Structures are given as C-alpha cells and as structure tokens.
Amino acid sequence: MAEKADTEKLPDELSIPDELKRREDRLKVIADAKAEIERRAEELYQQELAEYQEKVARRDAIRDTEKKPRGKEPKAPTPGPRDKDQVNLTDPESRIMPTSANGFVQAYNAQAAVDNDSGLIVENHITQATNDKQQVAPALEELASRAEQIGKPSVILADTGYFSQGNVSAVDKFGAIPYIAEKKDAHNKPLLERFKPDEPMPAGDDVTALELMRWRLQTREGRAVYALRKSTIEPTFGIQKEVMGCRFGPEK
C-alpha cells in the first residue's frame, strides 16, 4: 500500500503511518495480555498444587491410622493457560467470576470480617482471586494491625470456602480459636445424634490445631458458636445488596 501511494491516490481518511502504529500498538497489547494470562495461570497452578498436596497429605494421614479415606482420589492440577483463559483489556485488574445464578461476571471479590457482638465491619479488602482460601492470611494481617484500636479477636468464624489446614494453623498462630467449617453439615440431624454427649477433647502433645477444631465443631458449645456466623456476616452483605441496592451483573 505504501508503494501504491506513490502512484495512486489512497482514500483521504487512510494514513499508512497511523495504521502501522495502530497495528503495532495492538500487537503489543496482545503480547502483554498473553503474558498476563501465562502469569495468572502459573499463580493459579501454584495455588491448586498446594491444595492438591494438602488433600493428599490428609488422605495419607488417614491411611496411617489404617482407615480408608472417603471419596475419590484428588486429581493433580495441570500447569499452563487453559483454552478459556482471558484478560479484560478495559479493566485488566478485574476477573471473570462465577455467580450464585450459575453464570459469570467480570468482577472483583469483596471480603469482610464482622464483629459478632456489634456487627461492626472490622476488616475489608478487595481481591482478584475467585477462591476465598487465600483471603484468611490478609484478613489476619489487617486485624493484627488494628489490634490497638479495636482489640484482637479471640475466635475466628468462617465457612467452608475458607477451609484449609494452613488457614486453621494460621488462625491458631494468630492467637485465636479457629471455627472454619471443613464441609457442609447436614441439617435436621437425627434426634439422638443431636443430643448425644460430647466426645472427650483430644489430648497429648502431638494434637494439632485441626484436630482440636474438628472436635470443637462437633460439640454442642462449638456448634452454637459457629452458628453465630450466619447471623453476623451474612446480614452484612445482605444489607449492602438488598437495602443499599449494591447488586451487579446477572444478580441485579
């Protein structure tokens, strides 16, 4: 086209230098996007690998007691980008996240911690991670930095999305008692099971924070403590969504 411009008249709106620059700029954007996709894929792989190794370790620990672990064997993650991985060029910091309506939306993951007694939001942050398991550590770090102003929590409640052996240990080292549900509990348990006496607390120098937490969550007192979670953090987000109208994407 540049050669033709010497002998033929091109459309007035066409500028070959401008077009070359536009295409070079776009190639750079595409190259940067591909590099970001590869970076995110490696970050996700490392997270999934850590979770996989933790699951394998838990199952091996069960086998050491000469018991058979339940469920399927965990599948090792695969490294590298996936076919549907993408980057939003308009808002590259956002991520595609699943919604409760079984769809997807370009969004962020908002986190909050709420005091059980007052309902005060004592910690909040925004993350790009769709998985909540990585959000316990930053929340504990923020809570530690505010200990002089608001005090330090003695108990941490969180749902199954935050469960990992590492998170249980992190809360324990923080100096609080962890109540992080390992799995969803069945509603309306049989009558005799609901009123059976508590098992004795695990004892010994080799008892782990995870074993103690599992025991607590099976006791009457522990179940009552964990039940406070749904009446504190859930209304906090419910008020923001329903009363304040902060709904986005497919859920609006």
Side-chain angles (χ1 to χ4, degrees):
M1 292 181 69
E3 291 174 356
K4 284 184 178 181
D6 294 334
T7 58
E8 300 178 15
K9 181 176 175 56
L10 297 177
D12 293 337
E13 64 272 15
L14 174 60
S15 168
I16 293 177
D18 289 347
E19 183 65 19
L20 287 171
K21 185 178 185 308
R22 184 187 74 82
R23 296 192 182 208
E24 288 172 353
D25 291 345
R26 185 159 184 81
L27 284 173
K28 183 180 183 305
V29 170
I30 292 173
D32 291 344
K34 290 174 67 176
E36 177 62 13
I37 287 174
E38 291 173 357
R39 186 194 67 78
R40 292 183 188 178
E42 177 61 21
E43 184 180 86
L44 178 61
Y45 172 69
Q46 293 300 329
Q47 293 176 2
E48 292 179 340
L49 181 62
E51 292 174 9
Y52 165 75
Q53 291 171 339
E54 183 177 311
K55 290 178 182 177
V56 170
R58 288 207 305 267
R59 296 176 73 86
D60 288 344
I62 294 174
R63 291 189 181 96
D64 289 343
T65 62
E66 297 184 354
K67 294 181 180 179
K68 184 178 180 181
R70 296 181 179 180
K72 296 180 179 179
E73 290 293 327
K75 186 178 180 181
T78 303
R82 296 162 189 177
D83 291 342
K84 294 185 178 180
D85 288 351
Q86 54 183 284
V87 170
N88 188 308
L89 300 181
T90 304
D91 185 4
E93 293 184 351
S94 62
R95 299 289 188 274
I96 292 179
M97 299 188 179
T99 70
S100 58
N102 296 322
F104 293 86
V105 62
Q106 195 78 25
Y108 296 85
N109 183 353
Q111 298 283 318
V114 176
D115 175 61
N116 284 339
D117 295 328
S118 65
L120 177 71
I121 298 175
V122 293
E123 189 278 335
N124 67 91
H125 66 274
I126 300 293
T127 177
Q128 301 155 328
T130 58
N131 191 324
D132 290 331
K133 289 184 181 179
Q134 282 73 46
Q135 304 315 310
V136 170
L140 293 176
E141 186 177 343
E142 284 295 319
L143 289 172
S145 69
R146 298 169 185 169
E148 291 186 6
Q149 289 78 29
I150 62 175
K152 191 174 181 180
S154 58
V155 172
I156 299 288
L157 312 177
D159 65 22
T160 55
Y162 296 88
F163 174 79
S164 74
Q165 187 170 350
N167 285 341
V168 173
S169 298
V171 174
D172 182 63
K173 291 178 181 177
F174 175 77
I177 300 174
Y179 283 85
I180 307 176
E182 188 172 359
K183 58 184 178 180
K184 290 187 177 181
D185 206 359
H187 294 287
N188 301 320
K189 289 184 177 182
L191 184 66
L192 294 180
E193 186 176 344
R194 296 207 315 266
F195 290 95
K196 70 178 183 181
D198 295 338
E199 296 289 336
M201 185 175 75
D205 296 334
D206 58 345
V207 176
T208 65
L210 178 59
E211 290 172 329
L212 285 173
M213 188 190 76
R214 285 172 174 165
W215 169 77
R216 289 192 189 95
L217 286 171
Q218 295 304 313
T219 65
R220 294 186 190 181
E221 181 182 355
R223 290 196 297 268
V225 170
Y226 183 75
L228 296 173
R229 188 198 65 82
K230 62 178 178 288
S231 63
T232 50
I233 189 63
E234 297 296 347
T236 299
F237 283 107
I239 290 170
Q240 292 178 26
K241 290 181 177 180
E242 190 64 29
V243 180
M244 300 178 68
C246 294
R247 291 186 179 274
F248 305 94
E251 295 181 328
K252 186 174 180 181

